[in-house]
Amino acid sequence: MLLANPVFAESKKHIDQYQLNMTEGVTDISAKVYDLHMLMFWICVVIGAGVFIAMFISMYFHRKSRGFKPSTFHESVKVEIAWTVIPFIILIAMAVPAASLLFDMEDASEPDLTVLVTGSQWKWHYKYMENDVEFYSKMATQAEQIEGKFAKGDNYLLEVDRALVIPTGKKVRFLITSDDVIHAWWVPDFAVKQDANPGFINDAWAKVDQPGVYRGQCAELCGKDHGFMPVVVVAKEPAEYDKWIAEQQAIQQKAKEEEQRLLAMNMTMEESMALGEKVYNANCAACHMPNGEGLPGVFPALKGSQIALADQPKHIDVLVNGVTGTAMQAYAKQLSMSDLAAVVTYERNAWGNNTGDLVQAKDINAAINGK
């Protein structure tokens, strides 16, 4: 499954390293994981070399052509004890550092910063628990690259529209969960790979000392766009991070104020259809197809469907709250009320549906607040 995904790299040098061995990473934990990996590797090499050398020496110097005859003993208490005790000692010697490292990896206590990471088909949602900042992060690789029309970039399938930003020198705790199916949040440079299970919260942590861009992706087969769910983390110096978080808070506060202002405004059908088509192509077309015909047996068609032609309240509810147990996720937190109103209007009037219904932001607001 993982071999089908792109290799994590910032350069060809890194790609070559990952093909030959694990990455050493940029955190103390990742360095310890690498050292433990190499320790186990060399222990296995020594054991393998010792066994094969002894075997070949025995076969060569004690072969039948030299007149040797095999021993006829059936059991040896000394041999039984030796091949039981020696492997036991070796395993204990391997288990002690492994267990110690495992305890360190699981110790997410006393973090400086906590981020709630939520997997959705097929994007990540990040929420900073200490600040009023949250956003979705989606793949930004051009469709033309995926279709082979444009040359593939250095970070093909590993670039996003909005990266998770964390401060350097701080212990960052990740609370990891899912909105729908099982995903896995994986950043090799941090030695973090944690399942995102719906209804459960797993945690992990990282303390990054070097500013930079670190890439990963979903590592659990989660549906048809599993290979298009990258993770990008940008580590900034604390002062730069504080500036960034303040800017994001201001932007999101302004967006909320603008949303409230738009509730009192009405879009025309032309404006709504233009915006709705843009929103639909960015968020809905991957499943329901650009022509609205869906994928038979997998994703329902919107063209000519009962929900798009008749049941407007149900149509809005599906967009706002999603459908439990299906790939249809809730968009209330992903899109603005104006975007939601426009895409509902578009779906009810595109592809020959032609209901004439014009949904406004206030209608979405009423559905969200149960009015």
Side-chain angles (χ1 to χ4, degrees), residues 289-307:
M289 301 294 104
N291 58 11
E293 294 181 356
L295 291 175
V298 182
F299 301 109
L302 296 175
K303 179 180 179 180
S305 68
Q306 184 66 19
I307 193 171

Side-chain angles (χ1 to χ4, degrees), residues 158-345:
L158 293 175
E159 48 204 348
V160 298
D161 57 350
R162 300 191 68 180
L164 174 66
V165 178
I166 61 173
T168 58
K170 303 288 185 179
K171 184 175 182 178
V172 182
R173 183 188 186 194
F174 305 107
L175 302 177
I176 302 172
T177 186
S178 169
D179 273 343
D180 36 53
V181 299
I182 299 176
H183 303 277
W185 198 76
W186 182 29
V187 182
D189 281 316
F190 299 170
V192 171
K193 178 180 177 290
Q194 188 63 269
D195 279 352
N197 298 319
F200 295 88
I201 294 180
N202 293 319
D203 65 358
W205 67 277
K207 184 179 180 182
V208 183
D209 294 323
Q210 304 175 28
V213 180
Y214 305 103
R215 303 181 188 273
Q217 67 189 98
C218 177
E220 188 71 42
L221 189 59
C222 59
K224 76 178 188 68
D225 283 349
H226 160 63
F228 306 111
M229 199 171 171
V231 175
V232 179
V233 182
V234 177
K236 295 178 177 286
E237 295 286 355
E240 289 186 50
Y241 170 79
D242 291 340
K243 180 180 177 182
W244 177 87
I245 204 75
E247 290 173 349
Q248 297 306 308
Q249 286 180 306
I251 291 171
Q252 297 203 3
Q253 180 59 36
K254 185 177 180 180
K256 290 178 181 178
E257 294 172 356
E258 179 67 10
E259 187 78 357
Q260 292 301 310
R261 186 183 69 83
L262 291 174
L263 288 178
M265 300 177 63
N266 290 327
M267 288 188 290
T268 65
M269 177 64 79
E270 184 179 355
E271 292 170 338
S272 189
M273 288 295 287
L275 176 59
E277 182 178 15
K278 180 179 178 181
V279 175
Y280 179 87
N281 288 331
N283 297 275
C284 313
C287 295
H288 297 289
M289 301 294 104
N291 58 11
E293 294 181 356
L295 291 175
V298 182
F299 301 109
L302 296 175
K303 179 180 179 180
S305 68
Q306 184 66 19
I307 193 171
L309 291 174
D311 197 345
Q312 180 176 307
K314 179 64 175 178
H315 193 172
I316 294 174
D317 179 70
V318 168
L319 263 293
V320 168
N321 300 310
V323 180
T324 303
T326 73
M328 182 61 204
Q329 55 196 273
Y331 280 91
K333 292 183 178 180
Q334 300 187 48
L335 301 173
S336 68
M337 285 184 274
S338 298
D339 287 346
L340 286 168
V343 77
V344 173
T345 298

Side-chain angles (χ1 to χ4, degrees), residues 56-70:
F56 286 125
I57 288 176
S58 298
M59 288 190 297
Y60 182 79
F61 289 105
H62 300 88
R63 62 189 185 275
K64 183 178 180 181
S65 61
R66 298 189 64 174
F68 284 89
K69 294 183 180 181

